[in-house]
Coordinates of all heavy atoms in Angstrom, one line a residue:
S1 N -1.4 -39.7 -21.5 CA -1.3 -40.3 -20.1 C -0.1 -39.7 -19.4 O 0.0 -39.6 -18.2 CB -1.2 -41.8 -20.2 OG 0.0 -42.2 -20.8
T2 N 0.9 -39.2 -20.2 CA 2.1 -38.7 -19.6 C 1.8 -37.4 -18.9 O 2.4 -37.2 -17.8 CB 3.1 -38.4 -20.7 OG1 3.4 -39.7 -21.5 CG2 4.4 -37.9 -20.1
Y3 N 0.9 -36.6 -19.4 CA 0.6 -35.3 -18.8 C -0.8 -35.3 -18.1 O -1.2 -34.2 -17.6 CB 0.6 -34.2 -19.9 CG 1.9 -34.1 -20.7 CD1 2.2 -34.7 -21.9 CD2 3.0 -33.5 -20.0 CE1 3.4 -34.6 -22.5 CE2 4.2 -33.5 -20.6 CZ 4.4 -33.9 -21.9 OH 5.6 -33.8 -22.5
G4 N -1.3 -36.3 -17.9 CA -2.8 -36.3 -17.3 C -2.7 -35.7 -16.0 O -3.6 -34.8 -15.6
N5 N -1.8 -36.1 -15.0 CA -1.8 -35.5 -13.6 C -1.5 -34.0 -13.8 O -2.0 -33.3 -12.8 CB -0.8 -36.4 -12.9 CG -1.3 -37.7 -12.5 OD1 -2.6 -38.0 -12.4 ND2 -0.4 -38.6 -12.1
T6 N -0.6 -33.7 -14.6 CA -0.3 -32.3 -14.6 C -1.5 -31.4 -15.1 O -1.8 -30.4 -14.5 CB 0.9 -32.0 -15.9 OG1 1.9 -32.8 -15.3 CG2 1.2 -30.6 -15.8
F7 N -2.3 -31.9 -16.0 CA -3.5 -31.1 -16.4 C -4.5 -31.1 -15.3 O -5.2 -30.2 -15.0 CB -4.2 -31.8 -17.7 CG -3.4 -31.4 -18.9 CD1 -2.7 -32.3 -19.6 CD2 -3.4 -30.1 -19.3 CE1 -2.1 -32.0 -20.9 CE2 -2.6 -29.7 -20.5 CZ -2.1 -30.7 -21.2
I8 N -4.7 -32.2 -14.6 CA -5.7 -32.3 -13.6 C -5.2 -31.4 -12.3 O -6.1 -30.6 -11.8 CB -5.8 -33.8 -13.1 CG1 -6.5 -34.6 -14.1 CG2 -6.6 -33.8 -11.7 CD1 -6.6 -36.1 -13.8
E9 N -4.0 -31.3 -12.1 CA -3.4 -30.4 -11.0 C -3.6 -28.9 -11.3 O -4.0 -28.2 -10.5 CB -2.0 -30.7 -10.7 CG -1.7 -32.0 -10.0 CD -0.4 -32.3 -9.8 OE1 0.5 -31.5 -10.0 OE2 -0.1 -33.5 -9.5
S10 N -3.3 -28.6 -12.6 CA -3.4 -27.3 -13.1 C -4.8 -26.7 -13.1 O -5.1 -25.7 -12.7 CB -2.8 -27.1 -14.3 OG -3.5 -27.7 -15.5
M11 N -5.8 -27.6 -13.6 CA -7.2 -27.2 -13.5 C -7.7 -27.1 -12.2 O -8.5 -26.2 -11.9 CB -8.0 -28.3 -14.3 CG -7.7 -28.3 -15.7 SD -8.6 -29.6 -16.7 CE -9.7 -30.3 -15.9
G12 N -7.2 -27.8 -11.2 CA -7.6 -27.5 -9.8 C -7.0 -26.3 -9.1 O -7.5 -25.9 -8.0
S13 N -6.1 -25.7 -9.7 CA -5.5 -24.6 -9.2 C -6.2 -23.3 -9.4 O -5.9 -22.3 -8.9 CB -3.9 -24.5 -9.6 OG -4.0 -23.9 -11.0
F14 N -7.2 -23.2 -10.3 CA -8.0 -22.1 -10.5 C -9.0 -21.8 -9.4 O -9.7 -22.7 -8.8 CB -8.8 -22.2 -11.8 CG -7.9 -22.2 -13.1 CD1 -7.4 -23.4 -13.6 CD2 -7.4 -21.0 -13.5 CE1 -6.7 -23.3 -14.8 CE2 -6.7 -20.9 -14.7 CZ -6.3 -22.2 -15.4
G15 N -9.0 -20.5 -9.1 CA -10.0 -20.1 -7.9 C -11.2 -19.4 -8.6 O -11.3 -19.2 -9.9
E16 N -12.1 -19.0 -7.8 CA -13.3 -18.3 -8.3 C -12.8 -16.8 -8.8 O -12.1 -16.1 -8.3 CB -14.3 -18.0 -7.2 CG -15.6 -17.3 -7.6 CD -16.6 -17.2 -6.5 OE1 -16.4 -17.8 -5.4 OE2 -17.5 -16.5 -6.6
L17 N -13.3 -16.5 -10.0 CA -13.1 -15.1 -10.6 C -14.0 -14.1 -9.8 O -15.2 -14.2 -9.7 CB -13.4 -15.2 -12.0 CG -13.3 -13.9 -12.8 CD1 -11.8 -13.5 -12.8 CD2 -13.8 -13.9 -14.2
T18 N -13.1 -13.1 -9.2 CA -14.0 -12.1 -8.5 C -13.5 -10.7 -9.0 O -14.1 -9.8 -8.4 CB -13.5 -12.1 -6.9 OG1 -12.0 -12.1 -6.8 CG2 -14.1 -13.6 -6.4
D19 N -12.6 -10.5 -9.8 CA -12.2 -9.2 -10.4 C -13.4 -8.5 -11.1 O -13.7 -9.1 -12.2 CB -10.9 -9.4 -11.3 CG -10.4 -8.1 -11.8 OD1 -11.1 -7.0 -11.7 OD2 -9.3 -8.2 -12.4
P20 N -13.8 -7.3 -10.6 CA -15.1 -6.9 -11.2 C -14.8 -6.5 -12.7 O -15.7 -6.6 -13.6 CB -15.3 -5.6 -10.5 CG -14.6 -5.7 -9.1 CD -13.5 -6.7 -9.4
S21 N -13.6 -6.0 -13.0 CA -13.3 -5.6 -14.4 C -13.4 -6.8 -15.3 O -13.9 -6.9 -16.5 CB -11.9 -4.9 -14.6 OG -10.9 -5.7 -14.2
A22 N -12.8 -8.0 -14.9 CA -12.9 -9.2 -15.7 C -14.3 -9.7 -15.8 O -14.7 -10.2 -16.9 CB -12.0 -10.2 -15.1
L23 N -15.1 -9.5 -14.8 CA -16.5 -10.0 -14.8 C -17.4 -9.2 -15.8 O -18.4 -9.7 -16.2 CB -17.2 -10.1 -13.4 CG -16.5 -11.1 -12.4 CD1 -17.0 -10.9 -11.0 CD2 -16.9 -12.4 -12.8
R24 N -17.0 -8.0 -16.1 CA -17.7 -7.2 -17.0 C -17.5 -7.4 -18.4 O -18.1 -6.8 -19.3 CB -17.6 -5.6 -16.6 CG -18.2 -5.1 -15.3 CD -18.2 -3.7 -15.2 NE -16.8 -3.2 -15.2 CZ -16.0 -3.0 -14.1 NH1 -16.5 -3.3 -12.9 NH2 -14.8 -2.5 -14.1
V25 N -16.4 -8.1 -18.8 CA -15.9 -8.3 -20.1 C -17.2 -9.0 -20.9 O -17.7 -10.0 -20.4 CB -14.7 -9.2 -20.2 CG1 -14.3 -9.6 -21.7 CG2 -13.5 -8.4 -19.6
Q26 N -17.4 -8.5 -22.0 CA -18.5 -9.0 -22.9 C -17.8 -9.7 -24.1 O -16.8 -9.3 -24.6 CB -19.4 -7.9 -23.3 CG -20.2 -7.3 -22.3 CD -21.2 -8.3 -21.6 OE1 -21.9 -8.9 -22.3 NE2 -21.0 -8.4 -20.2
P27 N -18.4 -10.8 -24.6 CA -17.8 -11.5 -25.8 C -17.9 -10.5 -27.1 O -18.8 -9.6 -27.1 CB -18.7 -12.7 -26.1 CG -20.0 -12.2 -25.3 CD -19.7 -11.3 -24.2
A28 N -17.0 -10.7 -27.9 CA -17.1 -10.1 -29.1 C -18.3 -10.6 -30.1 O -18.6 -11.7 -30.0 CB -15.9 -10.2 -30.0
K29 N -19.0 -9.6 -30.6 CA -20.2 -9.9 -31.3 C -20.0 -9.8 -32.9 O -19.4 -8.7 -33.3 CB -21.4 -9.2 -30.8 CG -21.8 -9.6 -29.4 CD -22.8 -8.8 -28.8 CE -23.1 -9.3 -27.4 NZ -23.8 -8.6 -26.7
L30 N -20.4 -10.5 -33.7 CA -20.3 -10.4 -35.1 C -21.6 -9.9 -35.7 O -22.7 -10.3 -35.3 CB -19.9 -11.8 -35.8 CG -18.6 -12.4 -35.4 CD1 -18.6 -13.8 -36.2 CD2 -17.4 -11.5 -35.8
K31 N -21.3 -9.0 -36.7 CA -22.6 -8.5 -37.5 C -22.1 -8.7 -38.8 O -21.1 -8.4 -39.3 CB -22.7 -7.0 -37.1 CG -23.8 -6.4 -38.0 CD -24.0 -4.9 -37.6 CE -25.0 -4.1 -38.5 NZ -25.0 -2.8 -38.3
I32 N -23.1 -9.2 -39.7 CA -22.8 -9.5 -41.1 C -23.4 -8.3 -41.8 O -24.6 -7.9 -41.7 CB -23.5 -10.8 -41.6 CG1 -23.1 -11.9 -40.7 CG2 -23.2 -11.0 -43.0 CD1 -21.6 -12.3 -40.7
V33 N -22.6 -7.7 -42.7 CA -23.1 -6.6 -43.6 C -22.8 -6.9 -45.0 O -21.8 -7.6 -45.4 CB -22.3 -5.3 -43.2 CG1 -22.8 -4.8 -41.8 CG2 -20.8 -5.4 -43.3
R34 N -23.6 -6.5 -46.0 CA -23.3 -6.7 -47.4 C -23.0 -5.3 -47.9 O -23.7 -4.4 -47.7 CB -24.6 -7.2 -48.1 CG -24.5 -7.5 -49.5 CD -25.5 -8.3 -50.2 NE -25.9 -9.5 -49.5 CZ -25.3 -10.6 -49.8 NH1 -24.2 -10.7 -50.6 NH2 -25.5 -11.8 -49.1
I35 N -21.8 -5.4 -48.6 CA -21.3 -4.0 -49.1 C -21.8 -3.9 -50.5 O -21.9 -4.8 -51.3 CB -19.7 -4.1 -49.0 CG1 -19.0 -5.1 -49.7 CG2 -19.4 -4.1 -47.5 CD1 -17.5 -4.8 -49.8
D36 N -22.1 -2.6 -50.9 CA -22.6 -2.3 -52.2 C -21.6 -1.8 -53.2 O -21.9 -1.6 -54.3 CB -23.7 -1.2 -52.0 CG -23.2 0.0 -51.2 OD1 -22.1 0.1 -50.9 OD2 -24.0 1.0 -51.0
Q37 N -20.4 -1.6 -52.7 CA -19.3 -1.1 -53.7 C -18.0 -1.8 -53.2 O -17.8 -2.2 -52.1 CB -19.2 0.4 -53.7 CG -18.8 0.9 -52.4 CD -18.9 2.4 -52.2 OE1 -19.7 3.1 -53.1 NE2 -18.1 3.0 -51.6
P38 N -17.1 -2.0 -54.2 CA -15.7 -2.6 -53.8 C -14.9 -1.5 -52.9 O -15.1 -0.4 -53.0 CB -15.0 -2.6 -55.1 CG -15.9 -2.4 -56.1 CD -17.1 -1.7 -55.6
M39 N -14.2 -2.1 -51.9 CA -13.6 -1.3 -51.0 C -12.4 -2.1 -50.3 O -12.4 -3.4 -50.2 CB -14.4 -0.7 -49.9 CG -15.3 -1.6 -49.0 SD -16.4 -0.9 -47.8 CE -17.7 -0.4 -48.9
T40 N -11.4 -1.3 -49.8 CA -10.3 -1.9 -49.2 C -10.8 -2.3 -47.8 O -11.7 -1.9 -47.2 CB -9.1 -1.0 -49.1 OG1 -9.5 0.1 -48.2 CG2 -8.6 -0.6 -50.5
V41 N -9.9 -3.2 -47.1 CA -10.3 -3.5 -45.7 C -10.3 -2.2 -44.9 O -11.1 -2.1 -44.0 CB -9.2 -4.5 -45.1 CG1 -9.5 -4.8 -43.6 CG2 -9.2 -5.8 -45.9
S42 N -9.3 -1.3 -45.1 CA -9.4 -0.1 -44.4 C -10.7 0.8 -44.5 O -11.1 1.4 -43.6 CB -8.1 0.8 -44.8 OG -8.0 1.9 -44.1
E43 N -11.0 0.9 -45.7 CA -12.3 1.6 -46.2 C -13.5 0.9 -45.6 O -14.4 1.5 -45.0 CB -12.6 1.6 -47.8 CG -11.5 2.6 -48.3 CD -11.5 2.4 -49.9 OE1 -11.8 1.3 -50.4 OE2 -11.1 3.3 -50.5
F44 N -13.5 -0.5 -45.6 CA -14.5 -1.3 -45.0 C -14.6 -0.9 -43.4 O -15.8 -0.7 -42.8 CB -14.3 -2.8 -45.1 CG -15.3 -3.7 -44.5 CD1 -16.6 -3.8 -44.9 CD2 -14.9 -4.4 -43.3 CE1 -17.4 -4.7 -44.3 CE2 -15.9 -5.2 -42.7 CZ -17.1 -5.4 -43.2
N45 N -13.4 -0.9 -42.8 CA -13.4 -0.7 -41.3 C -13.8 0.8 -40.9 O -14.4 1.1 -40.0 CB -12.0 -0.9 -40.8 CG -11.9 -0.9 -39.3 OD1 -12.7 -1.6 -38.7 ND2 -11.1 0.0 -38.6
A46 N -13.5 1.8 -41.9 CA -13.9 3.1 -41.7 C -15.5 3.2 -41.8 O -16.1 4.0 -41.0 CB -13.2 4.0 -42.7
R47 N -16.1 2.4 -42.7 CA -17.5 2.4 -43.0 C -18.3 1.7 -41.8 O -19.3 2.0 -41.4 CB -17.9 2.1 -44.3 CG -19.4 2.2 -44.7 CD -19.6 2.1 -46.1 NE -21.0 2.2 -46.4 CZ -21.5 2.0 -47.6 NH1 -20.8 1.8 -48.5 NH2 -22.8 2.2 -47.7
Y48 N -17.7 0.5 -41.4 CA -18.3 -0.4 -40.5 C -17.2 -0.6 -39.5 O -16.6 -1.8 -39.6 CB -18.7 -1.7 -41.2 CG -19.6 -1.6 -42.5 CD1 -19.2 -1.6 -43.7 CD2 -21.0 -1.2 -42.1 CE1 -20.1 -1.3 -44.8 CE2 -21.9 -1.2 -43.3 CZ -21.4 -1.1 -44.5 OH -22.2 -1.0 -45.7
P49 N -17.0 0.1 -38.4 CA -15.8 -0.1 -37.5 C -16.1 -1.3 -36.8 O -17.0 -1.7 -36.3 CB -16.1 1.2 -36.6 CG -16.9 2.2 -37.3 CD -17.8 1.4 -38.3
S50 N -14.9 -1.8 -36.7 CA -14.7 -3.1 -35.8 C -13.7 -2.8 -34.6 O -13.0 -1.9 -34.7 CB -14.1 -4.3 -36.7 OG -14.9 -4.8 -37.4
S51 N -13.8 -3.6 -33.7 CA -13.0 -3.4 -32.4 C -11.7 -4.2 -32.5 O -11.1 -4.6 -31.4 CB -13.8 -3.7 -31.2 OG -14.3 -5.0 -31.2
I52 N -11.3 -4.8 -33.7 CA -10.2 -5.5 -33.7 C -9.1 -4.9 -34.8 O -9.7 -4.0 -35.5 CB -10.6 -7.1 -34.2 CG1 -11.2 -7.1 -35.5 CG2 -11.2 -7.8 -33.1 CD1 -11.5 -8.5 -36.1
S53 N -7.9 -5.4 -34.9 CA -7.0 -4.8 -35.8 C -7.5 -5.1 -37.3 O -8.2 -6.0 -37.5 CB -5.6 -5.4 -35.6 OG -5.6 -6.8 -35.9
L54 N -6.9 -4.3 -38.1 CA -7.2 -4.4 -39.6 C -6.7 -5.8 -40.1 O -7.5 -6.6 -40.8 CB -6.6 -3.4 -40.4 CG -7.2 -2.0 -40.3 CD1 -6.5 -1.0 -41.1 CD2 -8.6 -2.0 -40.7
D55 N -5.5 -6.3 -39.6 CA -5.0 -7.6 -40.0 C -6.0 -8.7 -39.6 O -6.3 -9.6 -40.4 CB -3.7 -7.8 -39.5 CG -2.6 -7.1 -40.1 OD1 -2.8 -6.6 -41.2 OD2 -1.5 -6.9 -39.5
K56 N -6.5 -8.6 -38.4 CA -7.5 -9.7 -37.9 C -8.7 -9.6 -38.7 O -9.4 -10.5 -39.0 CB -7.8 -9.5 -36.4 CG -6.6 -10.1 -35.7 CD -6.7 -10.0 -34.1 CE -5.5 -10.4 -33.3 NZ -5.7 -10.1 -31.9
L57 N -9.2 -8.3 -38.9 CA -10.4 -8.1 -39.7 C -10.3 -8.7 -41.1 O -11.3 -9.5 -41.6 CB -10.8 -6.7 -39.7 CG -12.0 -6.2 -40.4 CD1 -13.2 -6.8 -39.6 CD2 -12.1 -4.7 -40.5
A58 N -9.2 -8.5 -41.7 CA -9.0 -9.1 -43.0 C -9.0 -10.6 -42.9 O -9.5 -11.2 -43.9 CB -7.7 -8.5 -43.6
L59 N -8.4 -11.2 -41.9 CA -8.2 -12.6 -41.8 C -9.6 -13.2 -41.7 O -10.0 -14.2 -42.3 CB -7.3 -12.9 -40.6 CG -7.2 -14.4 -40.3 CD1 -6.3 -15.1 -41.5 CD2 -6.5 -14.6 -38.9
I60 N -10.5 -12.7 -40.8 CA -11.8 -13.4 -40.5 C -12.7 -13.2 -41.7 O -13.6 -14.0 -41.8 CB -12.4 -12.9 -39.2 CG1 -12.9 -11.4 -39.3 CG2 -11.6 -13.2 -38.0 CD1 -13.8 -11.0 -38.3
N61 N -12.4 -12.2 -42.5 CA -13.2 -12.1 -43.7 C -12.7 -12.6 -45.0 O -13.2 -12.5 -46.1 CB -13.5 -10.5 -43.8 CG -14.6 -10.0 -43.1 OD1 -15.7 -10.5 -43.1 ND2 -14.2 -9.1 -42.2
G62 N -11.5 -13.3 -44.9 CA -10.9 -14.1 -46.0 C -10.4 -13.1 -47.1 O -10.5 -13.4 -48.3
V63 N -9.8 -11.9 -46.7 CA -9.4 -11.0 -47.7 C -8.0 -10.6 -47.2 O -7.6 -10.5 -46.2 CB -10.2 -9.6 -47.5 CG1 -9.7 -8.6 -48.4 CG2 -11.8 -9.9 -47.7
D64 N -7.2 -10.5 -48.3 CA -5.8 -10.0 -48.2 C -5.8 -8.6 -47.5 O -6.6 -7.8 -48.0 CB -5.0 -10.1 -49.4 CG -3.6 -9.6 -49.3 OD1 -2.9 -10.4 -48.7 OD2 -3.1 -8.7 -49.9
P65 N -4.9 -8.4 -46.5 CA -5.0 -7.0 -45.9 C -4.9 -5.8 -46.9 O -5.4 -4.9 -46.6 CB -3.7 -7.0 -45.0 CG -3.6 -8.6 -44.6 CD -4.0 -9.3 -45.9
G66 N -4.1 -6.1 -48.0 CA -4.0 -5.0 -49.0 C -4.9 -5.1 -50.1 O -4.9 -4.2 -51.0
G67 N -5.9 -6.2 -50.1 CA -6.7 -6.3 -51.2 C -8.0 -5.7 -51.2 O -8.3 -4.9 -50.2
K68 N -8.8 -5.9 -52.0 CA -10.1 -5.1 -52.1 C -11.3 -6.2 -51.9 O -11.2 -7.4 -52.3 CB -10.4 -4.6 -53.5 CG -9.7 -3.3 -53.7 CD -10.6 -2.3 -54.5 CE -9.8 -1.0 -54.6 NZ -10.8 0.1 -54.4
I69 N -12.3 -5.7 -51.3 CA -13.5 -6.6 -51.0 C -14.5 -6.3 -52.2 O -14.9 -5.1 -52.5 CB -14.1 -6.3 -49.7 CG1 -13.2 -6.4 -48.5 CG2 -15.4 -7.0 -49.4 CD1 -13.6 -5.9 -47.2
P70 N -14.8 -7.3 -53.0 CA -15.8 -7.1 -54.1 C -17.1 -6.6 -53.6 O -17.7 -7.0 -52.5 CB -15.9 -8.4 -54.7 CG -15.3 -9.4 -53.8 CD -14.5 -8.6 -52.8
A71 N -17.8 -5.8 -54.4 CA -19.3 -5.3 -54.1 C -20.2 -6.6 -54.0 O -19.9 -7.6 -54.8 CB -19.7 -4.5 -55.2
G72 N -21.1 -6.5 -53.2 CA -22.1 -7.7 -53.0 C -21.6 -8.6 -52.0 O -22.5 -9.6 -51.8
S73 N -20.5 -8.6 -51.6 CA -19.9 -9.5 -50.5 C -20.6 -9.3 -49.2 O -20.9 -8.1 -48.7 CB -18.4 -9.4 -50.3 OG -17.8 -9.6 -51.5
A74 N -20.9 -10.3 -48.5 CA -21.3 -10.3 -47.1 C -20.0 -10.5 -46.2 O -19.4 -11.6 -46.3 CB -22.4 -11.4 -46.8
K75 N -19.8 -9.5 -45.4 CA -18.6 -9.5 -44.6 C -18.9 -9.3 -43.2 O -20.0 -8.7 -42.8 CB -17.6 -8.5 -45.0 CG -17.0 -8.8 -46.4 CD -16.3 -10.2 -46.5 CE -15.8 -10.6 -48.0 NZ -15.3 -11.9 -48.0
Q76 N -17.9 -9.6 -42.2 CA -18.1 -9.6 -40.7 C -17.6 -8.4 -40.2 O -16.4 -8.0 -40.5 CB -17.6 -10.9 -40.1 CG -18.2 -12.1 -40.7 CD -17.4 -13.3 -40.1 OE1 -17.6 -13.5 -39.0 NE2 -16.8 -14.0 -41.0
V77 N -18.3 -7.7 -39.3 CA -17.9 -6.6 -38.5 C -17.8 -7.2 -37.0 O -18.7 -7.9 -36.7 CB -18.9 -5.5 -38.5 CG1 -18.4 -4.3 -37.6 CG2 -19.1 -5.0 -40.0
V78 N -16.7 -7.0 -36.4 CA -16.6 -7.4 -35.0 C -16.7 -6.3 -33.9 O -16.0 -5.2 -34.1 CB -15.3 -8.1 -34.8 CG1 -15.0 -8.7 -33.5 CG2 -15.0 -9.3 -35.9
G79 N -17.4 -6.4 -32.9 CA -17.5 -5.5 -31.9 C -17.7 -6.1 -30.6 O -18.0 -7.3 -30.4
G80 N -17.7 -5.3 -29.5 CA -17.9 -5.8 -28.1 C -16.6 -6.2 -27.3 O -16.8 -6.6 -26.3
T81 N -15.5 -6.0 -27.9 CA -14.4 -6.2 -27.1 C -13.7 -5.0 -26.7 O -13.9 -4.0 -27.2 CB -13.4 -7.2 -27.8 OG1 -12.8 -6.5 -28.9 CG2 -14.0 -8.4 -28.3
S82 N -12.8 -5.1 -25.9 CA -11.9 -3.9 -25.5 C -10.5 -4.0 -26.1 O -9.6 -3.4 -25.6 CB -11.8 -3.7 -24.0 OG -11.3 -4.9 -23.4
E83 N -10.3 -4.9 -27.0 CA -9.0 -5.1 -27.7 C -8.6 -4.0 -28.4 O -9.3 -3.5 -29.2 CB -9.0 -6.3 -28.5 CG -7.8 -6.6 -29.3 CD -7.9 -7.9 -30.2 OE1 -8.8 -8.6 -30.1 OE2 -7.0 -8.0 -31.1
P84 N -7.4 -3.5 -28.3 CA -6.9 -2.2 -29.0 C -6.7 -2.6 -30.4 O -6.4 -3.7 -30.9 CB -5.7 -1.9 -28.3 CG -5.1 -3.1 -27.6 CD -6.3 -3.9 -27.2
K85 N -7.0 -1.6 -31.3 CA -6.9 -1.9 -32.8 C -5.4 -1.8 -33.1 O -4.6 -1.2 -32.7 CB -7.6 -0.7 -33.5 CG -9.1 -0.9 -33.4 CD -9.7 0.0 -34.4 CE -11.1 -0.4 -34.7 NZ -11.7 0.4 -35.8

């Protein structure tokens, strides 16, 4: 209740989005791939490129950035963003 009015006022301060570059942004899409051999996150990214950093790729796949992904694992590839690697 202390911040209620602040949130209501801030939400009312947004205007219509008209920036063409912002309107063209697409959501990141996930693709699930099953790997057939053990590989590092870097090797995984080389074979199945993602549009996010290696650290984030390791995080969403539950792998230590320096660790290996076991063969037979189903892992996520991220694409569709303009975020730099």
Side-chain angles (χ1 to χ4, degrees):
S1 68
T2 304
Y3 300 103
N5 287 337
T6 303
F7 284 117
I8 290 171
E9 288 173 16
S10 66
M11 290 177 12
S13 69
F14 289 95
E16 182 179 351
L17 180 61
T18 59
D19 180 351
S21 63
L23 291 169
R24 284 191 301 271
V25 172
Q26 295 295 310
K29 296 180 178 162
L30 294 178
K31 177 181 175 185
I32 307 298
V33 296
R34 186 168 299 278
I35 62 170
D36 56 359
Q37 61 188 31
M39 59 182 74
T40 66
V41 175
S42 183
E43 292 168 334
F44 176 76
N45 191 57
R47 187 164 178 188
Y48 306 102
S50 285
S51 59
I52 59 174
S53 70
L54 289 178
D55 285 341
K56 287 181 183 176
L57 184 62
L59 179 67
I60 68 164
N61 281 299
V63 180
D64 183 60
K68 282 215 174 219
I69 303 168
S73 297
K75 296 298 176 186
Q76 300 174 68
V77 178
V78 181
T81 69
S82 59
E83 180 181 341
K85 284 189 165 191

